[in-house]
Amino acid sequence: MKRWLQRYQRIGIATKQFIFFFVVTFIMFMALALNNLRDAEALFRDQVVRDAQQLIGRTNQYLDSYLDNVQNMLLLLSTRDDLFLEGHEEEAAKTLRTYASYNSSVARTLYLVREDGRVYSNAQVNYEIMGNPHLESLYRLAMSNYGAMNVSEPYDSPLSGKTIAYVLPVTDRNKSQTRGVAIVEIDLERLTGLVAPLLVSDNQTFTIISKKNNVITYTDPNDKLLPYVPGTFLPQLQSSFLEQLGELPVGVRTMQSNANSLVVIKSSSNRLGWSLICFIKEDFFYQNVRKLYRNYRDAGMIWVVVLFGSTWIMTRHFTRPVRGLAAKMDRVRDLGALSHISVDRFDEIGTLARSYNAMMERIHTLLSETKEMEVKKKQSELKMLQSQIAPHFLYNTLACISSLARQGRVDDVRETIKSLVALLSFSFNKTSEFVTLAEELEGLQRYVQIQRIRYGDVFTLTIDVEEAALRSKLLKLTLQPIVENAIFHGIVPNKKAGCIHIRGRLQHGMLRLAICDDGLGMPPDTMRGLLLGRKETPSKYSFTGMGIINVHERIRLHVGQPYGLKVRSQEGRGTVVRLLMPYEEWIGEPPIRE
């Protein structure tokens, strides 16, 4: 049992609904069949009753389709809010006459009632002569449940006779202002004439009552089965009998009327709250028992087929759009290409689909805004990082040049100024933020030359970069901060001569650079925190004010998170900074410095 329950839980909603509705209804039908087959009299009785119930069901469907035409016509009228405007009187009357002629089998009289009380009708002349005292109450009925279609109780209309009215408020296209109310009085006499051939015979009749026990249909004066009030022009059912009908539950009951024992079959209320009640003489059930078996067999087969088909259609109708919506949502993987659901429904599923589309559009907008802000942030960050030129470096370099001049070292002054001009020109060049690795090394050597003139032979720089790597694109001023850090934090404080070595290789489509020094090194805590936070103030020895963390962030801003710097250091032995970037060869001539 548990295994079957698990299988049932894994199947789809549509299959669950189909199994539930079909099995439950089929079991109920079979239980009823076994009970009715106990004897011929009961079988025949139940068969006739069931036939009558089916007939009532079909009649109710027929009534619904009949009344749907009224609703559709009223909905079409509600779209013509322009007919309520001043100056459209003739067009309103003409439109109402057109609608009335096309729907003559349904509607008797059509009205458009404006807020100021002005009334247009398809029978305008008759209305102006006879009027209609019920329009005011119908207008209130329409406005009492604003936005929904309402149906009145039966009443006697001067233009339509005994009738009921469909009413619907009409607003402007923005749904902000009520134009008036559209009213359709239906032809109850014709409605009765359409239904009567289906349900009226010598042994059978019918009536339709509203929720307030008012008779909807016209009454046949030749009917002998039901109790009528004597002496009335139009036959009216006795009020006590109507009260009994109103108290009857849905289904089959037996009642006494005049000298007849009647089997009463009452249908469930339709959308308007109406109940169709069929009356059959009880004596009729005993006329021909043999017909019962054939009728029951045929009705049973039809019932199973109809049940199977209607259950399948109903379950698919409700679950197919849900499955489609779920499939669309499940395919949302790439937020850059969000899917859109076409909506052709106006129920809850349509509302859900439209909400989903609105959410996807908002997500797309937010993604676009976020990407735009990221690009702006990235550009601003890069410009800020590359625009820093530390004044301490210029001051110290100029002081060094002054000292060399006082010593008469003209050649050193010339070389120092030449290196400083080349270095500043390289740094301020705005043609591109990228340079070749060869240009970056050239600028680095200019910087090292200035520092060597200041500090003498306290350090040496060696470069081992393979030829193919020299044309690789590299962010400008990437190596200088690393070498600067090696000089002033590794070698100079060590009080002895040191060496800085740069090694570059291309491996598996990657540019790999290693900057090694044999200086003081760093303790583990300092090494781990080196790439985690930015210095608050630049070093007084700095050329650009950009530390290693700035270089690391610039690389990641451009090429992504997997790339950047890695630092390894050991106290007393030195530091190694490894740089990893995707290899991209410089196409064409290298950028010209300004």
Side-chain angles (χ1 to χ4, degrees):
M1 182 66 183
K2 184 177 180 181
R3 184 179 63 183
W4 285 102
L5 182 60
Q6 290 176 347
R7 287 184 179 180
Y8 178 78
Q9 291 174 346
R10 286 195 294 266
I11 62 178
I13 295 177
T15 308
K16 287 180 180 178
Q17 284 185 331
F18 176 79
I19 293 174
F20 178 78
F21 287 133
F22 184 79
V23 171
V24 169
T25 310
F26 184 76
I27 290 175
M28 292 176 61
F29 175 78
M30 292 303 298
L32 181 61
L34 293 175
N35 184 64
N36 290 339
L37 286 172
R38 290 178 182 178
D39 52 67
E41 179 184 341
L43 277 173
F44 186 80
R45 178 189 177 96
D46 291 340
Q47 182 63 55
V48 174
V49 170
R50 188 168 296 279
D51 289 344
Q53 286 177 325
Q54 290 183 357
L55 189 57
I56 289 173
R58 295 171 186 172
T59 305
N60 269 329
Q61 294 177 1
Y62 182 79
L63 285 174
D64 287 340
S65 63
Y66 180 91
L67 298 175
D68 282 343
N69 292 331
V70 181
Q71 293 180 357
N72 293 336
M73 178 171 54
L74 201 56
L75 290 173
L76 288 174
L77 281 174
S78 67
T79 62
R80 295 295 307 276
D81 60 300
D82 57 302
L83 299 178
F84 291 81
L85 302 176
E86 292 289 344
H88 292 93
E89 292 81 4
E90 292 185 4
E91 185 180 357
K94 181 179 178 181
T95 301
L96 293 177
R97 287 194 298 270
T98 301
Y99 276 61
S101 63
Y102 288 158
N103 299 275
S104 58
S105 62
V106 176
R108 191 69 174 267
T109 310
L110 284 68
Y111 302 94
L112 296 178
V113 182
R114 297 196 327 195
E115 283 190 310
D116 59 3
R118 180 68 183 275
V119 178
Y120 308 115
S121 173
N122 64 304
Q124 190 70 27
V125 176
N126 293 340
Y127 169 76
E128 291 176 357
I129 296 174
M130 303 173 67
N132 191 338
H134 300 279
L135 294 183
E136 184 177 351
S137 61
L138 294 176
Y139 190 93
R140 291 196 299 269
L141 174 64
M143 302 306 295
S144 65
N145 190 10
Y146 184 78
M149 192 175 297
N150 295 277
V151 182
S152 71
E153 289 293 315
Y155 63 91
D156 290 323
S157 169
L159 300 183
S160 304
K162 185 178 181 181
T163 185
I164 62 169
Y166 274 70
V167 296
L168 179 66
V170 179
T171 61
D172 59 9
R173 298 186 183 277
N174 296 325
K175 307 295 183 183
S176 60
Q177 181 180 359
T178 300
R179 300 292 192 191
V181 172
I183 301 173
V184 177
E185 291 181 339
I186 70 173
D187 193 340
L188 288 184
E189 183 177 3
R190 185 174 182 84
L191 176 63
T192 304
L194 293 174
V195 176
L198 303 175
L199 298 174
V200 176
S201 65
D202 294 338
N203 299 301
Q204 181 175 308
T205 189
F206 80 103
T207 189
I208 300 176
I209 62 173
S210 67
K211 289 188 291 188
K212 296 183 179 181
N213 292 342
N214 292 316
V215 178
I216 301 297
T217 55
Y218 273 74
T219 306
D220 184 5
N222 298 320
D223 185 12
K224 304 299 182 183
L225 298 180
L226 304 182
Y228 296 98
V229 177
T232 55
F233 172 70
L234 290 176
Q236 298 179 8
L237 292 176
Q238 294 178 3
S239 58
S240 58
F241 184 73
L242 285 174
E243 290 177 1
Q244 293 180 46
L245 295 181
E247 293 172 358
L248 282 177
V250 174
V252 182
R253 293 293 184 274
T254 302
M255 292 182 61
Q256 288 296 126
S257 172
N258 298 335
N260 299 314
S261 179
L262 301 177
V263 175
V264 182
I265 306 172
K266 185 177 182 179
S267 71
S268 58
S269 301
N270 63 7
R271 289 175 294 179
L272 303 180
W274 297 355
S275 295
L276 192 153
I277 304 175
C278 183
F279 306 92
I280 305 175
K281 288 179 65 174
E282 194 170 26
D283 296 340
F284 174 71
F285 294 101
Y286 305 98
Q287 292 180 1
N288 195 343
V289 176
R290 287 180 301 179
K291 293 181 180 179
L292 177 63
Y293 296 100
R294 184 174 63 253
N295 292 339
Y296 190 83
R297 179 197 62 197
D298 296 342
M301 294 176 62
I302 294 173
W303 177 260
V304 170
V305 173
V306 171
L307 174 63
F308 185 90
S310 60
T311 305
W312 187 86
I313 292 173
M314 182 178 66
T315 54
R316 296 296 172 180
H317 174 74
F318 284 108
T319 55
R320 181 179 298 172
V322 176
R323 292 198 306 271
L325 180 59
K328 286 282 188 179
M329 291 181 175
D330 190 58
R331 286 199 294 269
V332 177
R333 293 290 186 270
D334 183 9
L335 294 180
L338 300 177
S339 59
H340 186 274
I341 300 177
S342 60
V343 183
D344 56 358
R345 299 175 64 102
F346 298 93
D347 53 8
E348 290 81 358
I349 295 174
T351 302
L352 179 61
R354 283 187 287 272
S355 299
Y356 169 81
N357 288 336
M359 180 184 68
M360 290 296 102
E361 291 177 1
R362 181 58 179 162
I363 290 175
H364 185 72
T365 302
L366 291 175
L367 286 174
S368 299
E369 293 176 355
T370 302
K371 288 180 179 179
E372 184 178 354
M373 292 300 297
E374 286 296 329
V375 170
K376 291 181 179 178
K377 180 181 177 181
K378 176 180 176 181
Q379 293 175 349
S380 176
E381 181 79 5
L382 291 174
K383 289 180 181 179
M384 184 273 293
L385 293 176
Q386 291 183 333
S387 64
Q388 300 175 355
I389 298 297
H392 294 287
F393 174 81
L394 293 177
Y395 174 80
N396 292 331
T397 303
L398 294 175
C400 178
I401 294 173
S402 175
S403 176
L404 293 174
R406 285 195 299 270
Q407 297 174 27
R409 298 167 58 182
V410 178
D411 293 337
D412 290 337
V413 169
R414 184 182 299 109
E415 290 299 323
T416 304
I417 293 177
K418 183 179 179 181
S419 297
L420 178 60
V421 170
L423 185 60
L424 292 178
S425 175
F426 174 74
S427 174
F428 282 111
N429 176 28
K430 302 299 181 180
T431 302
S432 173
E433 57 191 274
F434 284 93
V435 294
T436 63
L437 178 56
E439 287 189 308
E440 177 72 8
L441 291 174
E442 181 184 349
L444 178 62
Q445 289 175 339
R446 297 289 187 181
Y447 172 79
V448 168
Q449 182 180 359
I450 294 174
Q451 299 299 342
R452 188 178 287 113
I453 290 175
R454 289 183 59 193
Y455 294 101
D457 295 329
V458 72
F459 69 91
T460 60
L461 174 67
T462 60
I463 298 175
D464 177 18
V465 178
E466 64 182 11
E467 185 70 23
L470 292 176
R471 292 187 61 83
S472 175
K473 290 178 65 175
L474 188 71
L475 284 167
K476 185 191 302 180
L477 298 177
T478 296
L479 299 180
Q480 180 271 329
I482 301 174
V483 173
E484 180 180 76
N485 191 72
I487 295 173
F488 294 110
H489 298 287
I491 295 177
V492 172
N494 202 23
K495 305 298 184 180
K496 64 179 181 178
C499 177
I500 301 174
H501 178 70
I502 299 177
R503 182 176 183 270
R505 295 291 184 270
L506 296 180
Q507 295 179 355
H508 307 294
M510 298 291 173
L511 173 63
R512 299 178 183 271
L513 297 173
I515 300 92
C516 311
D517 70 76
D518 56 358
L520 287 177
M522 291 178 283
D525 292 341
T526 304
M527 181 185 67
R528 284 192 295 268
L530 189 63
L531 300 180
L532 298 180
R534 186 177 299 169
K535 288 184 178 181
E536 295 183 358
T537 56
S539 170
K540 67 179 180 178
Y541 307 105
S542 172
F543 166 59
T544 63
M546 294 189 296
I548 292 181
I549 179 62
N550 299 119
V551 175
H552 182 63
E553 289 180 354
R554 288 178 63 207
I555 295 174
R556 288 198 165 194
L557 281 172
H558 269 285
V559 296
Q561 293 295 327
Y563 306 100
L565 303 180
K566 289 184 179 180
V567 180
R568 295 289 181 272
S569 183
Q570 187 174 357
E571 287 186 278
R573 301 190 63 180
T575 302
V576 177
V577 180
R578 299 185 184 277
L579 184 151
L580 178 66
M581 283 186 64
Y583 172 71
E584 184 179 355
E585 183 179 357
W586 188 281
I587 304 300
E589 295 295 327
I592 300 174
R593 294 193 297 271
E594 294 176 350

